[in-house]
Amino acid sequence: MSTPTSTPAGGAAPPPGQPSPPVFNARLATGLLGALLAAMVAGLNGRIPGLVLADLRGALGFGLDDASWLTTAYSAGELAAMPFATWLAITFSLRRFQLTMLLTALLLSAVMPYVRDLHLLLALRVLHGFSGGALIPLLMMSCLRFLPPPIRLHGLAVFALVATFSPNVALWLAALWVDRLEDWRLVYWHVLPVGLAAAALVAWGIPKLPLALPRLKQANWFGMGLGVPGLMLLVVGVDQGVRLDWFHSPLIVAALLTGLVFTTLFLASEWGHPAPFNRLQLLERRNVWLGFVSLAVLLMVMATAVTLPANVLGQLQGFRMEQSAAIGLIVGLPQLVLGPFVALLLYQRWVDARHVFAAGLACMAAGCWLAASITSEWMVQQFMWAEILQAVGQPMAMVALLFLVTSVVQPMEGPFLAGMVNIVRVFSATVGGAVIGQLTAVRSRFHTEMLLDRAGQLLPRIGPSDTAQETLAATVAQQASVLTTADIYRVFAVLAVLLIPAVLKLQHIPAPVVNRTPRNAPPAAPAGATS
């Protein structure tokens, strides 16, 4: 089912009783910069501790199994915040709620290095994830709400940096704090200066809006009571599934089944509630539901850009993060230029956003296919062209996708869409990691068994020497890792190619018309404008 499109460029006056949208000026631009920095802080808080988990285990004295829950706890809290963040921001005012969540995240970052009790640390990481997870939808909501039509696509490009810039640069930052400066506490503390600056910018630049406390009586609190534990349990089941062998673990079975039941009931209650946190009826529009499916697959493909080659170089060459950090910079830094360039391209009347999206997927598929040629001799430079293709393809796909999805919603539906997009983003990232982990386990076992069968034929020739047998075992393990990595790259290359026909089925959205509003016309209502 499709509805008439309403592009973010908009043109309708505010509904009766609604305040006029604030005029975009330098002060508001400063506030949006603060919102971007706050979202970056949230992304780095979730990403970097997971990259240096081995160092955190050593510093805190945790075992491998116990420490693995630190990442899961953050992801669970992050996803639990996504459906409700924009509703809470409207109810308690965007500026007030954003500052509360940001300062809470910074306070937790400051105290966490001093916590040594695992259970307390896990509880703090859940709160850390909840406060950080609330900040990212607010960035998208702010971009849709405050930016005027001539630059609104650039706002979407700014939001896309949360997925294309922060996760990729995180590898270099993690290496800087742990390998170069040799202080694991900086993994948490490094966000404090940026976060405080973001708080100052938000406090000064985001407009002060009145509270809307009567909304509290209308909210779907029963649905929230189901949704929060349901989403958290799904994250637990997916994130820990590979490590605990999925349905062979009673914990994973219980988490997935309970999470699925609770989440289903939450979605059903949201669908029928007169004042939901998420307007699920938006999924009836082709560009929304198909766009969300495309976003989920896109984020899984993007997961192969930096983390996979960094892990492979660690296994094959014994690289520390510092030695492979350049991979993250190759993909991450160009996003600061390529994102705005793609937004500028989408403003051209002759450009079809679906074709830009498809071209981005083709670049990413080509990058994965090039990386599938990996051998045991590869270093960082051998990944160069594959990473360049990823760097080019990611903003083309992400910015075009955001444009196609946001253009079919009415201005007042912007906050609902911001929350739903980020639910898909966070959960897809978790599923993508689980898929890569499962593929690694299955294909590694297959290739190891195949190579051992062939190696058995060589044992009579090399004799009973322990050294020779150890060398043969190490070679088998190395080559199994190489073949497994090549398989994973091929799977995601094919997945990206298969997504292209679906992308071309999205509803065509013409480029926004800008600078054509009559002088005396009423101001446009930005997406998400609400009291």
Side-chain angles (χ1 to χ4, degrees):
M1 176 177 176
S2 166
T3 61
T5 62
S6 174
T7 69
Q18 290 287 352
S20 298
V23 177
F24 184 76
N25 51 29
R27 182 165 185 168
L28 189 51
T30 301
L32 290 178
L33 175 61
L36 171 62
L37 294 178
M40 294 289 185
V41 166
L44 295 175
N45 274 338
R47 178 74 173 144
I48 293 182
L51 292 172
V52 298
L53 205 54
D55 299 272
L56 294 181
R57 286 196 296 112
L60 299 173
F62 295 153
L64 178 62
D65 292 343
D66 290 340
S68 70
W69 287 94
L70 294 175
T71 302
T72 302
Y74 187 93
S75 298
E78 186 180 26
L79 184 61
M82 294 295 179
F84 315 106
T86 55
W87 187 94
L88 292 170
I90 294 171
T91 303
F92 296 105
S93 90
L94 174 61
R95 177 177 173 272
R96 183 180 287 106
F97 181 71
Q98 195 164 30
L99 285 174
T100 300
M101 292 296 100
L102 176 56
L103 294 176
T104 300
L106 295 179
L107 177 62
L108 291 170
S109 294
V111 304
M112 243 179 293
Y114 299 107
V115 178
R116 292 295 188 271
D117 180 74
L118 176 63
H119 297 92
L120 177 58
L121 188 57
L122 289 175
L124 293 179
R125 279 296 277 174
V126 171
L127 294 176
H128 209 199
F130 189 90
S131 57
L135 294 170
I136 298 176
L138 300 186
L139 171 62
M140 184 175 183
M141 174 182 170
S142 299
C143 290
L144 293 174
R145 179 173 188 172
F146 296 129
L147 291 178
I151 59 173
R152 191 162 297 147
L153 281 179
H154 294 288
L156 295 178
V158 166
F159 174 75
L161 293 176
V162 174
T164 61
F165 176 77
S166 298
N168 296 324
V169 176
L171 180 64
W172 177 78
L173 289 173
L176 177 63
W177 308 138
V178 174
D179 288 344
R180 185 70 61 86
L181 299 181
E182 299 180 349
D183 190 344
W184 67 271
R185 297 173 298 178
L186 292 174
V187 167
Y188 293 109
W189 288 348
H190 77 280
V191 299
L192 296 179
V194 178
L196 292 174
L201 296 175
V202 167
W204 185 73
I206 297 297
K208 297 181 180 179
L209 298 174
L211 297 171
L213 297 182
R215 290 163 53 90
L216 294 172
K217 298 179 181 179
Q218 308 165 359
N220 182 17
W221 297 116
F222 174 73
M224 177 183 279
L226 293 170
V228 170
L231 292 171
M232 294 179 70
L233 286 170
L234 285 180
V235 171
V236 169
V238 173
D239 202 47
Q240 293 287 329
V242 176
R243 186 179 69 84
L244 298 178
D245 199 15
W246 295 104
F247 296 108
H248 292 94
S249 166
L251 175 62
I252 298 301
V253 172
L256 289 177
L257 288 179
T258 307
L260 184 60
V261 170
F262 277 29
T263 302
T264 301
L265 293 174
F266 163 62
L267 295 176
S269 70
E270 286 284 273
W271 186 277
H273 199 276
F277 296 105
N278 303 272
R279 188 167 295 170
L280 299 179
Q281 286 78 5
L282 293 177
L283 294 173
E284 295 177 342
R285 304 172 194 178
R286 186 188 353 161
N287 274 28
V288 176
W289 73 262
L290 186 53
F292 284 177
V293 172
S294 301
L295 176 61
V297 177
L298 173 62
L299 290 169
M300 292 186 211
V301 176
M302 288 171 60
T304 64
V306 174
T307 304
L308 183 58
N311 289 341
V312 170
L313 289 174
Q315 295 171 4
L316 296 182
Q317 314 299 349
F319 278 10
R320 291 280 298 175
M321 283 184 297
E322 184 178 11
Q323 296 167 294
S324 56
I327 291 176
L329 296 180
I330 292 170
V331 179
L333 290 181
Q335 308 306 316
L336 299 174
V337 176
L338 293 177
F341 175 79
V342 173
L344 185 63
L345 182 66
L346 293 176
Y347 272 116
Q348 308 308 308
R349 302 294 294 174
W350 52 271
V351 173
D352 189 329
R354 298 173 300 176
H355 297 162
V356 176
F357 191 172
L361 287 171
C363 286
M364 297 170 67
C368 288
W369 201 259
L370 279 179
S373 303
I374 184 174
T375 70
S376 58
E377 305 299 322
W378 275 36
M379 300 288 185
V380 171
Q381 55 268 32
Q382 278 70 42
F383 284 99
M384 182 73 70
W385 282 109
E387 300 306 313
I388 290 174
L389 286 169
Q390 288 275 0
V392 173
Q394 287 188 13
M396 294 176 68
M398 184 61 69
V399 178
L401 171 61
L402 291 173
F403 168 64
L404 290 166
V405 172
T406 59
S407 294
V408 297
V409 298
Q410 300 295 329
M412 296 296 294
E413 296 168 333
F416 296 112
L417 186 69
M420 293 167 66
V421 164
N422 284 281
I423 293 171
V424 176
R425 184 187 64 81
V426 173
F427 192 65
S428 298
T430 303
V431 172
V435 169
I436 291 177
Q438 187 64 25
L439 284 174
T440 300
V442 172
R443 298 304 293 174
S444 179
R445 185 161 54 245
F446 168 79
H447 288 300
T448 299
E449 292 174 356
M450 180 188 67
L451 292 173
L452 284 175
D453 287 341
R454 297 186 179 181
Q457 302 172 7
L458 300 176
L459 289 178
R461 301 180 185 178
I462 64 175
S465 169
D466 291 340
T467 301
Q469 293 186 11
E470 290 176 1
T471 301
L472 180 60
T475 301
V476 167
Q478 181 190 65
Q479 293 305 312
S481 178
V482 170
L483 294 171
T484 298
T485 304
D487 287 347
I488 293 172
Y489 274 122
R490 291 189 188 101
V491 167
F492 283 98
V494 171
L495 196 60
V497 170
L498 292 177
L499 184 59
I500 292 176
V503 166
L504 297 177
K505 291 292 185 180
L506 289 165
Q507 180 182 355
H508 171 62
I509 305 295
V513 179
V514 297
N515 297 329
R516 298 184 184 181
T517 304
R519 182 170 299 178
N520 296 324
T530 186
S531 60

